[in-house]
């Protein structure tokens, strides 16, 4: 027991000083396994000492399970025809959306996130105690503070996890993925639960036909864990995130924060709802999704023809087709479910990833290219071997 505690202290020292000391990643794996037995302790320490001379390597990260959840209530285009001046034909022609899901009145963002998380954990075969990091991406948190991630943590009983939210709008799932990859890659976490969950029906102006036909509610989740690094095993091959804060006014919820606090007048003017300059957002979406995905393709050396499935942000069928065309990837290899759910912001690509896997469209060993775009402006992409 004494040896074990010395070893833990030693590992802690190495973790804290890993970069400075150029410690190989192998020590962190050894740290995890050391819980099971101490008989090879001397060997591990000797090996770690040898590794001090090697350059710092990041740990590989694998995707080991996904899950999603959408509420039961469907809002169809013909339902919307009764609410605003629109038509089923216009919505389908301009967006590709046929219906979207709407959360029940008392159903919170964390409730949907919890359902998606439980399904991802079941698929991954991990217990709540094994999770040491929870990141939730959302623009519709249960409360400004605490974070929605903390509610999820309590709901699933992930007592060993640190939990926090990130705000990157429709790009939030892949921003969460990139963040978790950094934690796991540096040995600061071993099993991460990433989620994006949105109750957009809560912040949609149901009198504005230019936005209310687009959005829906739902959640998607994934479990990431230290990978094996063995060729052919699951791995996050690369990821890219980016932002342009000079274009915040193209898509935003102007009120309710410190800039325009909640007042009776602001509520009356519906400043707590989504406002979007759709045409401009459309153009930037195509350009940034293409550039982000191409930069990833170049960096990983993956050829477009080697990508088995593309999972884009599900905002508009015309955007998806334009991006696929510019990437030189046939649209048959693109997973599309926006006709069923509309735009669920950050949750959209997470739900799509889960559905692609569960439906068999994306299989073990496949290379999946995810690419998203959203308010901020923000964009992100990830290349994943399942
Ligand atoms: O998730 C974050 C990223 N978001 C996006 O990527 C969204 C990007 N933008 C878009 O998807 C599209 O710009 C929209 C779907 C939002 C709009 O499509 P559009 O082809 O850009 O239409 P538009 O805004 O140029 O409007 C064309 C016409 C206008 O009428 P006039 O001025 O030509 O008479 C609009 O008033 O369509 C009218 N219109 C509608 N008509 C029927 C706008 N919304 C509707 C509607 N039903 N729901």
């Amino acid at each position: 027991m004494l040896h074990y505690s010395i070893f833990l202290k030693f590992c802690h020292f190495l973790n804290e000083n890993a970069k400075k000391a150029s410690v190989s990643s192998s020590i962190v794996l050894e740290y995890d396994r050391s819980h099971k037995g101490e008989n090879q302790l001397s060997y591990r320490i000797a090996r770690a000492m040898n590794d001090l001379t090697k350059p710092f390597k990041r740990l590989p990260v694998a995707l080991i399970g996904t899950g999603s959840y959408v509420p039961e209530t469907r809002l169809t285009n013909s339902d919307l025809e009764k609410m605003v001046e629109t038509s089923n034909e216009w919505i389908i022609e301009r967006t590709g959306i046929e219906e979207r899901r709407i959360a029940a009145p008392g159903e919170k963002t964390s409730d949907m996130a919890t359902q998606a998380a439980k399904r991802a954990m079941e698929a991954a075969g991990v217990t709540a105690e094994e999770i040491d990091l929870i990141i939730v991406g959302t623009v519709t948190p249960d409360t400004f503070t605490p974070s929605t991630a903390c509610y999820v943590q309590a709901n699933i009983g992930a007592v060993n996890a640190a939990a926090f939210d990130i705000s990157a709008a429709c790009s939030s799932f892949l921003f969460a993925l990139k963040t978790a990859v950094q934690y796991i890659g540096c040995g600061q976490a071993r099993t991460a639960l990433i989620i994006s969950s949105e109750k957009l029906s809560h912040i949609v102006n149901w009198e504005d036909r230019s936005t209310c036909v687009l959005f829906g509610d739902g959640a998607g989740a994934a479990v990431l864990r230290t990978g094996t690094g063995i060729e052919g095993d699951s791995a996050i091959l690369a990821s890219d995130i980016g932002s342009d804060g000079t274009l915040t006014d193209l898509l935003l919820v102007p009120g309710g924060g410190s800039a325009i606090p909640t007042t009776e007048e602001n509520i009356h003017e519906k400043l707590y709802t989504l406002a979007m300059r759709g045409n401009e957002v459309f153009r930037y979406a195509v350009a940034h999704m293409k550039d982000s995905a191409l930069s990833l393709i170049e960096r990983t050396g993956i050829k477009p023809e080697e990508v088995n499935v593309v999972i884009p942000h599900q905002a508009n069928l015309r955007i998806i087709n334009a991006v696929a065309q510019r990437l030189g990837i046939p649209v048959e290899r693109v997973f599309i479910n926006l006709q069923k759910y509309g735009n669920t912001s950050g949750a959209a690509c997470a739900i799509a990833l889960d559905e692609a896997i569960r439906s068999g469209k994306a299989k073990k060993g496949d290379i999946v290219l995810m690419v998203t775009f959203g308010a901020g402006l923000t964009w992100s992409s990830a290349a994943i071997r399942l």
Side-chain angles (χ1 to χ4, degrees):
M1 211 52 218
L2 181 66
H3 278 165
Y4 182 57
S5 88
I6 293 168
F7 179 63
L8 284 181
K9 278 188 189 138
F10 179 66
C11 286
H12 178 73
F13 166 80
L14 288 177
N15 268 339
E16 293 301 310
N17 296 280
K19 214 164 179 183
K20 201 169 74 187
S22 299
V23 180
S24 161
S25 55
S26 62
I27 186 62
V28 188
L29 284 170
E30 298 298 344
Y31 175 94
D32 282 335
R33 287 170 191 154
S34 69
H35 290 286
K36 298 244 160 63
E38 300 161 38
N39 50 349
Q40 296 215 341
L41 183 62
S42 322
Y43 165 74
R44 286 192 193 111
I45 292 177
R47 174 146 169 222
M49 294 304 281
N50 284 339
D51 284 349
L52 283 170
T53 56
K54 292 183 185 163
F56 178 72
K57 272 198 299 185
R58 299 175 72 80
L59 292 168
V61 182
L63 178 106
I64 61 168
T66 60
S68 62
Y69 168 84
V70 289
E72 270 177 35
T73 304
R74 290 175 155 84
L75 183 71
T76 64
N77 290 349
S78 59
D79 293 330
L80 283 161
E81 284 175 350
K82 294 170 200 132
M83 296 163 62
V84 286
E85 200 184 328
T86 191
S87 66
N88 179 43
E89 293 70 31
W90 190 95
I91 301 171
I92 290 182
E93 192 192 310
R94 306 309 294 168
T95 71
I97 300 166
E98 294 167 21
E99 58 182 37
R100 63 290 291 145
R101 300 299 180 93
I102 303 296
E107 195 169 26
K108 302 182 292 295
T109 295
S110 64
D111 297 328
M112 295 188 283
T114 300
Q115 294 300 327
K118 284 182 175 169
R119 289 170 191 176
M121 287 159 59
E122 195 185 342
V126 303
T127 63
E129 290 79 13
E130 288 175 83
I131 294 166
D132 44 23
L133 180 67
I134 301 173
I135 308 176
V136 173
T138 186
V139 296
T140 51
D142 286 18
T143 50
F144 273 168
T145 192
S147 68
T148 300
C150 283
Y151 295 113
V152 174
Q153 178 192 23
N155 290 347
I156 63 174
V159 288
N160 298 315
F164 59 88
D165 287 359
I166 58 164
S167 176
C170 306
S171 307
S172 69
F173 186 69
L174 296 187
F175 270 61
L177 178 136
K178 177 122 190 152
T179 307
V181 164
Q182 307 314 309
Y183 275 86
I184 297 172
C186 295
Q188 298 294 311
R190 182 165 186 258
T191 307
L193 174 62
I194 57 166
I195 308 167
S196 181
S197 181
E198 296 290 10
K199 188 175 177 178
L200 295 177
S201 59
H202 183 63
I203 58 164
V204 160
N205 177 354
W206 291 104
E207 291 168 4
D208 174 13
R209 69 174 183 173
S210 70
T211 52
C212 76
V213 301
L214 306 174
F215 298 104
D217 301 333
V223 180
L224 305 178
R225 179 171 265 183
T226 319
T228 62
I230 296 168
E231 183 64 35
D233 280 1
S234 174
I236 310 299
L237 302 172
S239 56
D240 175 61
I241 59 173
S243 313
D244 182 353
T246 65
L247 297 170
T248 46
D249 57 340
L250 294 191
L251 174 52
L252 77 166
V253 177
S258 61
I260 304 178
T262 308
T263 62
E264 217 170 295
E265 196 188 338
N266 292 341
I267 291 173
H268 185 68
E269 287 178 26
K270 293 200 161 46
L271 293 183
Y272 59 88
T273 63
L274 273 164
M276 176 166 70
R277 294 187 352 224
N279 268 317
E280 288 165 76
V281 173
F282 189 109
R283 280 201 307 277
Y284 282 113
V286 174
H288 283 303
M289 286 168 81
K290 179 207 74 174
D291 289 348
S292 182
L294 279 181
S295 79
L296 218 62
I297 284 173
E298 272 172 29
R299 235 192 304 149
T300 52
I302 298 167
K303 299 186 188 76
E305 57 270 26
E306 291 170 335
V307 174
N308 300 97
V309 185
V310 178
I311 299 188
H313 176 39
Q314 311 281 319
N316 187 315
L317 191 54
R318 290 183 295 142
I319 295 178
I320 293 174
N321 287 336
V323 172
Q325 194 200 13
R326 282 161 176 75
L327 294 177
I329 295 177
V331 79
E332 298 74 53
R333 271 193 266 148
V334 181
F335 190 85
I336 299 164
N337 63 2
L338 92 170
Q339 69 281 3
K340 297 191 289 181
Y341 308 130
N343 180 349
T344 56
S345 183
C349 70
I351 297 170
L353 175 66
D354 183 50
E355 288 199 347
I357 291 172
R358 285 174 194 263
S359 67
K361 171 98 182 175
K363 299 176 287 297
K364 186 158 173 45
D366 277 359
I367 293 191
V368 171
L369 177 64
M370 299 182 74
V371 57
T372 67
F373 177 82
L377 298 178
T378 56
W379 54 88
S380 52
S381 55
I384 304 168
R385 187 169 51 234
L386 295 180

